[in-house]
Amino acid sequence: MLPMQSAESPDPLRDPAAPPRSPSPVPERFTVSKGVLRLDRFMTYVILVGGIGIIAAVFGIFVFIGSVIWPLFQSPTLTPLRELPLATSGTTLVGLDERSELPYSYDGSADLHFHSASSNLSQPLGLEPGTQITFWRQDRLNDRILLGTQDGRVGFVDISFTAKQSSPTAPRSVTGSLKLAPWLTLNNPAPVESLDYASQGERKLFGAIVNAPEGPKLLVVGQRQKKGLMGAGKLEATPPEDLTPLLAGARPIRVLLPGTADAIVVQTQTNELLYLFRAPSGWEVRQQIKPFADIDTDITVMDFLYGDVSLVLGDSKGNVRILSLNVPPGSDRRLFAETQRLKPLDTPIRHFVASRRNKSFVVAGDTQCALCYATTGTVRSILELPYTVRSLCLDAKAEHLGIVDSNGTLHLNTVHDPHPEAGWRTFFGKIWYEGYSEPKWEWQSTGGTDDFEPKLSLVPLIIGSIKGTLYAMLFAVPIALLAAIYTSQFLSASVKRIVKPAMEIMASLPSVVLGFLAALWLAPLIETKVPSILLLVLSIPLSAMIAGSIWIRVPLHQRNRLPRGAEFWLLAPLMAALGYLAWLSGPALESLLFVANLPDGSQIADFRLWWPQFTGLPYDQRNCLVVGFMMGFAVIPVIFTIAEDALSNVPPALTSAAEALGASRWQVVRTVVLPIASAGIFSALMIGLGRAVGETMIVVMATGNTPVVDAAGRLLFGDPGLGGGLFPLADHWNIFSGMRTLSANIAVELPEAAQGSTHYRTLFLGAFALFLMTFVLNTAAELLRQRLREKFKIV
Amino acid sequence: MSDAHSNPPSSAALLSSKGEIKVWLTATGLSVGLFMVIGLLLLITWNGLSVFWPQPVSEFTLTSQKDGAPEKIAGIITKNQTRRSAATGQAIEEIQVFTGNRDAYGLAFRFLDQSSLASTSLPADYIVAERSEYGKAIFTPVRLEFSPTQSLLASDPTFFPELHRLVKEGNARRTEITTLEKHEIGAVNARIDKLEIRLRKADSTAEDRAPLEQELAQLRSEYATLATQAATLRDRQKVEKLVYRLASGEERNQAVAEIIHFYQPNQLTLGGRFKIFLHHAIAFLTEEPREANTEGGIFPAIFGTFVMTLLMAALVTPLGIIAAIYLHEYAKPGIMLQSIRICVNNLAGVPSIVFGVFGLGFFVYGVGGYIDHGPAYPLPERWWFLASLGAVISLVLALLLTLKYSPTQALQPKSKARSFAENSLWITTALLTLLTLAKCPYFHGFFSDKLPSPTFGTGGILWASITLSLMTLPVVIVATEEALSAVPRGVREAALACGASKWQMIQRIALPGALPGVMTGIILAMARGAGEVAPLMITGVVKLAPSLPLDGIAPFIHAERKFMHLGFHIFDLGFQSPDSEAAKPMVFATTLLLIFLVVVLNLTAIQIRSHLRRKLQASAF
């Protein structure tokens, strides 16, 4: 507390009922009333708590945004849920129902087993006696088991679950039931070795390998659903086709059908893949590829990922590679190409299961199990197991992972991986998305289909922000600095008092107004007037030069008659006149320089057509020129005000000294004022930069909002590429095209993002990046300014 | 002080002309800057005001034929421009004409090549009428039909007085319908909604439900009466018809009562034009929007902006002042304080969208969701009890430590250990209290019966105001601190020397002295808040709010409601309306209003500040 209080009542809190004591050294009229002291103490607490609380709350913003983006970078957790002994030890296939309450297992016998927590229940598939199942596998999308028999028949059994719950609090009882589909014969009475099934609308197709006596055969058999009056009609089998000749003697060992039911992927014994496609003319080999050509190894696992566009391959050395269908440059067909290589596991890959909701999958070796995400090609989590894995399964929501060990015990684990697609690589690295012919930085957060991969690279948005800022600064910095120099050094004090607030008013113009004017007034206005703008830009310095050179020819005594800062009043009309002239003569320049060739051979003077022809870059109506100009309104006053302050605060002793030594007024500015104020000017530029980076509404309204990538990325990240046109690296720094910035992206997409989704958190990450960028810029500027201030103190 | 070095340069300074051209070059920067700001303000003012000015209606006779006669079009010229023909590359002079009559033509604008115009005239009898539907109509009147048999020709001298009377009656009836539908039926509806929720919650016992159901039935019949009343009025609106002729010769008719306002632009005197101008301007400021915001007024947006800004100012003022007083008067100076100050300063430069993101995540989804349905992840009961117990214990301990002083101790500075214990106890209390409140397993929200439709868990005026007040907090803190430090040390010390307590000194000396500076800060904050749109877009602004945040239905202040805002109105009209060309006049008018508001606020702040600076300069010496 303050020392003065010792002069007051020595004990303000003394109990009034206490016995009287020796007379106080302070006379009664000098003692402070208790009310005052109590109020003082109360207010002290209020202000302490309030002040600290408010400041903590303000910094809480930082913490809160951080807490929202934190889960994006968390690795998944796998927690053991329960263990369940399965009835048979020979189990090779397990499946889970919706909530993993009733797992089922199948071992190739005539029965399927359901395992509830309390009992094991066998249910017959309904096979006719004597049928021997030689191949079985789980369908990728449904609770369905594909079956192949000893005598060359194929079919499947559907499993459905019904849950009963008598009251909301009572335990659920789940029962399963089976429905065997009619068998289809392959017309080759030999054991089925591999089988897959695909169904697309009314087209249904089985692909199978049978081990016929004359050698293994690749057979397909289709079904066509007749359209009846009463909805879906009867299924009608088409005769089986033998595709073995297409294999050219290679022995097929595994077959896969994508969901489109028009292609087959066959793995041969020589570890090659054959991609067979049903063209209108019949089946043909579209591609032959050896995925592990660089290492001598065997393919042990091959399956499609959700969406049936990517193949996951595992080998006996623990390698996992992903092949995706895309149209390579120079081709018109979709072919497989390796898009990802995962970090190898320590054990051979033996088991695989894919999620039915996104591109994550689980592979397992003997005692290792890895949760992976295909789009980013990352192993998200590795589980070291104390037992040997025999089989894997995931439920439909990919929330539970079941692992069967060699003793036939099912280990159920809860998988918690809400944001598998997130990570540093996603946000800042190039990613080879499905269907793309090369890795790309791309932002496309929402798509039309279920199996759409969100593309969440922040790079195009950051580039967009930098691009917008760059053009805004290019326009604003010269004007703001020149104006600041003139105002602080050459203008008379009385004019300055009007000019400064006028420029400050510019800072208060709401950005939504600037954006509206940019888009609906400026953009259409200058769309056809680019040559005029070019001339206008030239005319302004020209007018200054003309005026200046006339001025120095005026005799000195007449010059001195003019009051200080009058150049400005003389210059303004000249500039306006020259500017108007430049505006009018734009079309003349256009017809002189910017003549575009039309497809029909004629020529036309139009900059909008000339620009794409000359540079190979697009020309948009809402482009960076417009954004740069309008952002100028936001940035110029910020830079102007701070730079002007810095320039005005240069100690007069220094400028007077320079003048006394005979320097001209420009020499004073150049040699004394500018160097001393340079730190202040620099901090002004940084604060201006911060304002431009975060500007939202102008960009939302005045740009096309197309996320830009690539050439810009190449430039920044040093991957020399091949852009088009005359200037290969310039296609996305193009001043006449639009862009999407971080801030605009947030404003546009956040209202639609579901709370807690990866998209939502990624937008928060964008906000965090913006926050950090501007905060760092501003802090650096502030520190610079403080140093400057100290420097002046010494001077 | 700052002017000390800016004395006019001596003539010696001009002896050397070196770099004189560069001096002129620097002048261009200022010229361009001033041109930009003045040009922009003039552009907006001109365009914004000309929206209200009644413009003449021209009748164009085209060279093309239609039904055997030359085609005629009547309208207001809105733009002259040059277009480049796609085929030949020739420049073509064309005009844009506002033809109105969207119900007849489908579009309200038409482009005409100058070369296709045979003649242009300004016939005196054209009427421009604003209608409650389909926007403006431009026509010549034919006759008034009072009933299928009784009509009044336009050439009759009583025609215009009669038309004026009918339009006035129609307007009165429309007001009545609005009052009925919005206020009375709205009030009944609100009561029905409440009753239905109570019925849903009430147990199924008959004696519980019977009185409620009876009340409900009564309210429903009340509703039906009001609805028939409104329907009768609506039918009455359609009785009198105005038959009119378009420029093309087509005759159409229009219910007179649906005309809001009409005038004959080609017969107006200058005074008459002014009257219409004022009428338009007042209607713009006071009416509700029509036709997807492209017609009518912007009263709800003005009101929304006003309420939001006031709410924001009411929140930011005490917070900003308390924080500034803490920083300036109570906190210990040092590197820590210095860095806090820099950080607070820099928060002013953080993009507004970041605050919006925070507002959405924390206030709307976090706090709003909590108010709606209680904590998303409540603590298990046992842990919650432990936490609340801990909070109580730590509160008691903290109180004991803080308040229990022996008389001699009261004047001694507290020992380090003791103040540390005190502080950590208070912090523990605060954290535990927060925890028990935020994670209480017994709280299921105030609006759980309305779920899943959110009440506070979606954007609203309260959240928008809080978000903006957080955004403008640094502005107020910085301005207040600056003002506090400008109060001379001598005055403060004098007050303390006279025996004032610290708070008395702050309250009676420092704060009054700093008041103009604080005012400046608040005004600047309000100006920034009024013009900001990006954070509002994600925290509760909508293009068309069905009701105002303040109204006559209890509890009168509806802080959870979405609201309209001038800035968002501009964004929405200019970018999301189906016909942005038709919306442009409205956007310019709204822009003018917003700019006017913001510029006036800023000029006031600048005035106060410069006045303050001069006063300080005077008092420093």
Side-chain angles (χ1 to χ4, degrees):
Chain A
M1 282 293 200
L2 290 170
M4 54 95 191
Q5 282 196 344
S6 56
E8 297 164 357
S9 159
D11 61 1
L13 291 170
R14 195 182 166 90
D15 191 333
R21 51 200 171 95
S22 57
S24 149
V26 182
E28 192 67 17
R29 62 194 167 96
F30 286 148
T31 55
V32 181
S33 84
K34 263 181 212 152
V36 168
L37 285 176
R38 252 185 230 134
L39 182 68
D40 186 62
R41 207 143 152 215
F42 174 73
M43 285 316 291
T44 305
Y45 281 120
V46 165
I47 286 168
L48 276 181
V49 171
I52 295 173
I54 290 161
I55 286 157
V58 167
F59 290 103
I61 297 176
F62 201 75
V63 178
F64 177 80
I65 295 181
S67 76
V68 173
I69 59 180
W70 174 244
L72 286 178
F73 298 102
Q74 269 178 326
S75 19
T77 51
L78 279 161
T79 35
L81 185 67
R82 58 195 163 97
E83 290 179 8
L84 206 66
L86 302 183
T88 52
S89 57
T91 307
T92 60
L93 184 156
V94 276
L96 300 172
D97 63 309
E98 198 189 340
R99 296 199 196 173
S100 305
E101 286 160 324
L102 192 67
Y104 57 89
S105 68
Y106 183 66
D107 54 5
S109 65
D111 295 329
L112 190 132
H113 310 280
F114 289 103
H115 309 275
S116 71
S118 51
S119 65
N120 289 335
L121 186 79
S122 294
Q123 205 163 332
L125 295 177
L127 306 176
E128 55 262 53
T131 310
Q132 204 183 340
I133 305 293
T134 53
F135 182 84
W136 60 96
R137 64 165 287 165
Q138 187 140 24
D139 190 76
R140 280 187 295 277
L141 276 179
N142 309 301
D143 285 323
R144 169 182 291 172
I145 297 175
L146 309 180
L147 303 167
T149 66
Q150 176 74 29
D151 53 356
R153 284 181 302 160
V154 291
F156 54 80
V157 59
D158 277 322
I159 306 162
S160 52
F161 296 92
T162 39
K164 274 189 201 138
Q165 203 167 11
S166 50
S167 75
T169 49
R172 274 157 51 101
S173 71
V174 185
T175 50
S177 58
L178 305 177
K179 184 170 169 264
L180 187 69
W183 294 98
L184 280 180
T185 172
L186 296 168
N187 285 351
N188 265 294
V192 175
E193 271 191 344
S194 179
L195 170 69
D196 201 7
Y197 170 74
S199 144
Q200 162 97 6
E202 56 185 44
R203 192 167 58 207
K204 298 171 196 307
L205 193 71
F206 280 97
I209 298 168
V210 294
N211 196 2
E214 63 269 30
K217 275 187 174 174
L218 177 65
L219 299 163
V220 286
V221 55
Q223 272 178 319
R224 201 159 263 289
Q225 195 150 29
K226 274 189 159 181
K227 273 187 188 147
L229 281 172
M230 312 288 290
K234 258 179 92 178
L235 284 171
E236 197 175 76
T238 54
E241 287 177 77
D242 188 355
L243 304 183
T244 323
L246 289 176
L247 303 180
R251 190 198 187 292
I253 54 174
R254 205 171 280 133
V255 60
L256 276 181
L257 268 68
T260 47
D262 57 0
I264 303 181
V265 179
V266 184
Q267 180 198 340
T268 66
Q269 205 167 22
T270 51
N271 291 314
E272 286 192 350
L273 300 188
L274 285 162
Y275 177 40
L276 311 183
F277 193 79
R278 179 148 72 180
S281 55
W283 287 92
E284 63 179 33
V285 179
R286 189 165 263 195
Q287 193 187 9
Q288 188 164 6
I289 184 173
K290 188 155 191 194
F292 292 96
D294 51 333
I295 34 180
D296 178 32
T297 180
D298 287 328
I299 297 176
T300 49
V301 156
M302 173 178 91
D303 210 335
F304 275 113
L305 277 172
Y306 180 58
D308 289 0
V309 177
S310 297
L311 269 179
V312 177
L313 298 161
D315 77 349
S316 53
K317 288 185 173 159
N319 293 302
V320 179
R321 291 183 182 181
I322 295 165
L323 269 58
S324 271
L325 277 177
N326 61 61
V327 182
S331 164
D332 55 349
R333 303 171 143 194
R334 298 215 302 168
L335 299 175
F336 281 104
E338 184 183 311
T339 56
Q340 302 286 356
R341 270 180 202 194
L342 270 62
K343 212 176 82 192
L345 262 63
D346 300 335
T347 62
I349 309 293
R350 298 201 194 285
H351 311 281
F352 169 88
V353 62
S355 155
R356 287 185 241 170
R357 23 172 51 178
N358 55 27
K359 311 281 181 205
S360 53
F361 60 92
V362 181
V363 287
D366 291 332
T367 59
Q368 248 185 352
C369 176
L371 179 63
C372 312
Y373 194 72
T375 306
T376 51
T378 45
V379 178
R380 299 201 32 92
S381 166
I382 291 185
L383 213 58
E384 299 290 343
L385 301 170
Y387 44 80
T388 311
V389 181
R390 174 170 286 179
S391 178
L392 290 175
C393 58
L394 270 174
D395 69 348
K397 291 185 192 159
E399 280 169 354
H400 295 103
L401 170 69
I403 308 172
V404 182
D405 67 12
S406 50
N407 300 326
T409 308
L410 174 67
H411 301 261
L412 270 180
N413 297 281
T414 312
V415 183
H416 185 73
D417 193 10
H419 310 293
E421 64 268 57
W424 293 111
R425 256 200 86 186
T426 313
F427 301 137
F428 302 106
K430 265 189 175 180
I431 292 206
W432 197 334
Y433 294 104
E434 274 182 358
Y436 282 48
S437 55
E438 57 179 352
K440 272 191 172 168
W441 285 292
E442 177 142 328
W443 176 272
Q444 192 189 353
S445 53
T446 44
T449 56
D450 278 349
D451 54 348
F452 169 80
E453 292 178 299
K455 301 170 182 69
L456 300 174
S457 175
L458 293 180
V459 172
L461 305 177
I462 293 174
I463 302 267
S465 284
I466 295 175
K467 182 180 164 185
T469 310
L470 189 82
Y471 285 115
M473 294 299 276
L474 219 58
F475 173 71
V477 169
I479 292 176
L481 288 189
L482 291 180
I485 293 172
Y486 187 76
T487 312
S488 65
Q489 302 300 319
F490 308 125
L491 207 57
S492 69
S494 56
V495 181
K496 192 170 149 183
R497 264 205 289 280
I498 304 167
V499 165
K500 261 199 101 173
M503 293 292 269
E504 280 170 15
I505 283 294
M506 208 200 239
S508 69
L509 296 174
S511 60
V512 67
V513 169
L514 299 176
F516 150 67
L517 287 176
L520 293 188
W521 175 74
L522 188 67
L525 182 71
I526 67 173
E527 186 190 0
T528 54
K529 300 278 195 217
V530 176
S532 301
I533 303 277
L534 282 177
L535 283 178
L536 196 64
V537 169
L538 287 177
S539 79
I540 290 167
L542 191 72
S543 64
M545 272 191 244
I546 293 172
S549 23
I550 295 171
W551 176 252
I552 50 177
R553 275 167 187 78
V554 174
L556 194 63
H557 62 275
Q558 279 176 2
R559 269 195 261 162
N560 277 346
R561 236 184 263 163
L562 224 67
R564 190 179 151 84
E567 301 91 347
F568 171 64
W569 301 112
L570 289 177
L571 185 61
L574 179 70
M575 241 177 70
L578 257 176
Y580 187 64
L581 207 67
W583 184 257
L584 289 185
S585 49
L589 181 75
E590 190 168 39
S591 57
L592 206 66
L593 286 180
F594 307 120
V595 180
N597 301 312
L598 289 186
D600 60 5
S602 61
Q603 290 193 321
I604 185 169
D606 192 336
F607 186 85
R608 283 173 298 169
L609 301 174
W610 174 86
W611 176 260
Q613 271 186 11
F614 182 65
T615 59
L617 306 174
Y619 181 94
D620 299 336
Q621 189 206 34
R622 294 185 181 179
N623 55 39
C624 278
L625 191 66
V626 177
V627 177
F629 181 77
M630 272 303 168
M631 279 232 256
F633 279 93
V635 180
I636 288 174
V638 175
I639 301 180
F640 171 81
T641 313
I642 300 168
E644 206 272 342
D645 278 345
L647 288 164
S648 293
N649 285 338
V650 171
L654 297 178
T655 50
S656 307
E659 276 173 2
L661 289 172
S664 74
R665 55 179 182 164
W666 175 252
Q667 282 170 326
V668 173
V669 170
R670 194 174 58 83
T671 54
V672 178
V673 177
L674 281 181
I676 291 179
S678 58
I681 291 173
F682 191 66
S683 88
L685 293 185
M686 284 208 272
I687 290 178
L689 202 68
R691 173 86 208 256
V693 166
E695 185 49 62
T696 312
M697 292 314 288
I698 298 177
V699 189
V700 169
M701 297 165 94
T703 69
N705 271 331
T706 34
V708 295
V709 225
D710 235 64
R714 271 187 235 129
L715 203 63
L716 271 188
F717 299 97
D719 170 17
L722 298 160
L726 264 181
F727 307 103
L729 287 179
D731 36 344
H732 288 99
W733 295 109
N734 179 7
I735 187 168
F736 295 113
S737 68
M739 77 274 181
R740 178 184 280 202
T741 65
L742 272 176
S743 52
N745 187 56
I746 296 167
V748 170
E749 294 193 0
L750 193 56
E752 267 89 55
Q755 187 199 355
S757 65
T758 311
H759 181 202
Y760 176 83
R761 293 185 197 278
T762 311
L763 292 174
F764 268 69
L765 180 68
F768 193 73
L770 263 183
F771 189 89
L772 224 60
M773 253 193 257
T774 46
F775 206 82
V776 167
L777 276 177
N778 286 346
T779 309
E782 182 64 35
L783 290 178
L784 256 176
R785 228 171 2 174
Q786 283 198 348
R787 273 189 55 188
L788 184 79
R789 225 173 272 154
E790 262 157 45
K791 209 163 125 191
F792 282 152
K793 256 187 214 158
I794 300 161
V795 172
Chain B
M1 183 71 191
S2 64
D3 282 349
H5 62 283
S6 53
N7 294 324
S10 58
S11 59
L14 283 181
L15 273 175
S16 161
S17 305
K18 263 198 184 136
E20 202 59 17
I21 292 179
K22 284 165 193 157
V23 173
W24 284 80
L25 201 64
T26 58
T28 60
L30 188 63
S31 304
V32 172
L34 289 179
F35 265 128
M36 279 170 69
V37 62
I38 294 167
L40 191 97
L41 292 180
L42 285 180
L43 174 85
I44 292 171
T45 315
W46 173 253
N47 277 303
L49 287 180
S50 61
V51 170
F52 306 127
W53 190 253
Q55 261 137 356
V57 171
S58 322
E59 190 178 80
F60 306 97
T61 313
L62 304 188
T63 47
S64 58
Q65 300 272 319
K66 197 179 182 187
D67 305 329
E71 194 182 348
K72 281 186 174 182
I73 287 172
I76 298 164
I77 302 175
T78 48
K79 212 194 272 172
N80 277 302
Q81 63 181 29
T82 319
R83 170 173 63 100
R84 209 179 282 271
S85 150
T88 58
Q90 296 293 312
I92 298 169
E93 294 285 324
E94 61 175 7
I95 52 171
Q96 188 193 36
V97 178
F98 173 76
T99 58
N101 300 318
R102 224 170 45 225
D103 45 343
Y105 296 144
L107 286 170
F109 286 90
R110 214 171 138 174
F111 283 99
L112 298 173
D113 287 353
Q114 286 283 13
S115 59
S116 70
L117 301 180
S119 65
T120 308
S121 61
L122 292 170
D125 54 349
Y126 267 105
I127 284 184
V128 175
E130 272 165 46
R131 303 173 293 177
S132 58
E133 267 173 47
Y134 297 115
K136 280 187 183 135
I138 297 175
F139 55 78
T140 47
V142 178
R143 62 177 183 277
L144 266 175
E145 282 180 358
F146 297 98
S147 68
T149 50
Q150 192 193 0
S151 64
L152 182 67
L153 282 178
S155 51
D156 195 292
T158 58
F159 177 82
F160 278 100
E162 199 61 14
L163 188 61
H164 271 291
R165 184 183 63 83
L166 288 176
V167 167
K168 211 170 163 189
E169 277 179 20
N171 279 336
R173 236 175 278 129
R174 198 173 318 107
T175 321
E176 208 176 325
I177 294 175
T178 321
T179 326
L180 257 180
E181 291 187 336
K182 265 214 156 148
H183 300 274
E184 300 189 19
I185 296 188
V188 172
N189 264 340
R191 281 168 65 198
I192 290 181
D193 281 350
K194 257 187 208 158
L195 261 182
E196 276 178 343
I197 287 172
R198 268 174 68 193
L199 259 176
R200 223 187 301 151
K201 277 207 288 191
D203 282 330
S204 46
T205 48
E207 61 261 40
D208 265 4
R209 299 178 66 94
L212 289 178
E213 265 162 8
Q214 201 180 341
E215 202 181 333
L216 192 64
Q218 196 198 329
L219 279 174
R220 290 228 164 99
S221 74
E222 223 173 282
Y223 174 84
T225 327
L226 286 170
T228 20
Q229 223 174 319
T232 326
L233 278 173
R234 277 192 182 282
D235 287 342
R236 176 67 190 81
Q237 289 285 72
K238 291 183 188 126
V239 172
E240 291 96 356
K241 292 214 159 57
L242 172 67
V243 178
Y244 61 87
R245 190 180 297 123
L246 301 179
S248 56
E250 186 190 347
E251 277 196 14
R252 299 174 66 89
N253 63 52
Q254 159 82 42
V256 180
E258 274 166 17
I259 294 175
I260 292 168
H261 167 69
F262 72 92
Y263 57 94
Q264 290 174 289
N266 297 356
Q267 290 181 14
L268 288 173
T269 57
L270 191 66
R273 279 178 204 280
F274 256 112
K275 229 171 116 187
I276 302 277
F277 174 82
L278 275 182
H279 176 96
H280 281 167
I282 291 170
F284 174 74
L285 294 177
T286 55
E287 279 178 10
E288 306 253 320
R290 296 190 305 267
E291 299 285 297
N293 293 354
T294 58
E295 299 275 333
I298 52 163
F299 177 70
I302 299 175
F303 191 77
T305 312
F306 179 72
V307 172
M308 195 272 299
T309 312
L310 272 195
L311 210 57
M312 182 204 80
L315 285 165
V316 77
T317 308
L319 297 181
I321 292 176
I322 287 180
I325 292 179
Y326 168 73
L327 283 178
H328 194 261
E329 308 283 332
Y330 286 87
K332 239 179 258 157
I335 288 183
M336 189 67 193
L337 183 67
Q338 201 56 24
S339 45
I340 287 181
R341 206 166 268 160
I342 289 178
C343 287
V344 169
N345 217 335
N346 289 347
L347 276 180
V350 167
S352 54
I353 189 79
V354 174
F355 289 97
V357 165
F358 174 76
L360 179 80
F362 185 74
F363 293 122
V364 176
Y365 289 146
V367 183
Y370 177 79
I371 294 175
D372 271 5
H373 52 67
Y377 304 102
L379 277 181
E381 286 179 25
R382 192 189 309 164
W383 287 105
W384 185 77
F385 271 116
L386 274 177
S388 10
L389 196 69
V392 171
I393 291 173
S394 122
L395 176 70
V396 169
L397 284 178
L399 277 177
L400 278 177
L401 259 184
T402 314
L403 298 180
K404 185 81 183 149
Y405 284 116
S406 67
T408 46
Q409 270 176 319
L411 295 172
Q412 306 294 318
K414 287 174 205 164
S415 73
K416 253 190 182 160
R418 178 159 180 168
S419 61
F420 177 77
E422 224 172 78
N423 289 343
S424 43
L425 272 173
W426 277 116
I427 290 172
T428 320
T429 315
L431 288 180
L432 281 176
T433 314
L434 256 180
L435 184 77
T436 46
L437 281 181
K439 300 270 172 189
C440 173
Y442 305 105
F443 177 63
H444 299 295
F446 295 117
F447 300 96
S448 51
D449 43 0
K450 285 194 186 161
L451 288 174
S453 68
T455 310
F456 275 96
T458 175
I461 194 162
L462 179 68
W463 302 139
S465 310
I466 296 184
T467 306
L468 283 199
S469 65
L470 210 56
M471 185 186 87
T472 48
L473 194 59
V475 178
V476 177
I477 294 181
V478 170
T480 308
E481 251 209 288
E482 216 165 76
L484 280 174
S485 57
V487 173
R489 200 182 155 84
V491 192
R492 293 159 179 273
E493 283 171 356
L496 293 176
C498 289
S501 73
K502 186 167 185 173
W503 172 246
Q504 278 178 321
M505 185 273 286
I506 293 172
Q507 186 196 358
R508 303 200 188 157
I509 305 296
L511 274 184
L515 198 63
V518 180
M519 288 285 292
T520 315
I522 294 166
I523 293 173
L524 282 179
M526 281 168 74
R528 187 160 176 214
E532 200 57 72
V533 174
L536 299 181
M537 273 167 75
I538 47 183
T539 52
V541 131
V542 283
K543 59 186 292 181
L544 193 61
S547 38
L548 298 174
L550 290 179
D551 65 13
I553 298 172
F556 310 115
I557 300 170
H558 305 274
E560 81 283 1
R561 277 195 189 156
K562 297 194 183 274
F563 65 107
M564 288 172 74
H565 182 268
L566 286 173
F568 187 73
H569 200 73
I570 295 171
F571 171 69
D572 177 66
L573 269 182
F575 290 85
Q576 292 171 339
S577 70
D579 185 359
S580 66
E581 196 60 41
K584 226 164 154 181
M586 279 294 278
V587 187
F588 266 115
T590 315
T591 304
L592 177 64
L593 184 68
L594 182 63
I595 289 269
F596 177 75
L597 202 79
V598 169
V599 167
V600 164
L601 281 175
N602 270 288
L603 281 180
T604 318
I606 290 172
Q607 267 307 310
I608 295 178
R609 200 173 50 190
S610 66
H611 180 74
L612 185 75
R613 286 223 174 116
R614 240 171 289 146
K615 213 173 96 185
L616 278 178
Q617 267 173 18
S619 68
F621 296 105

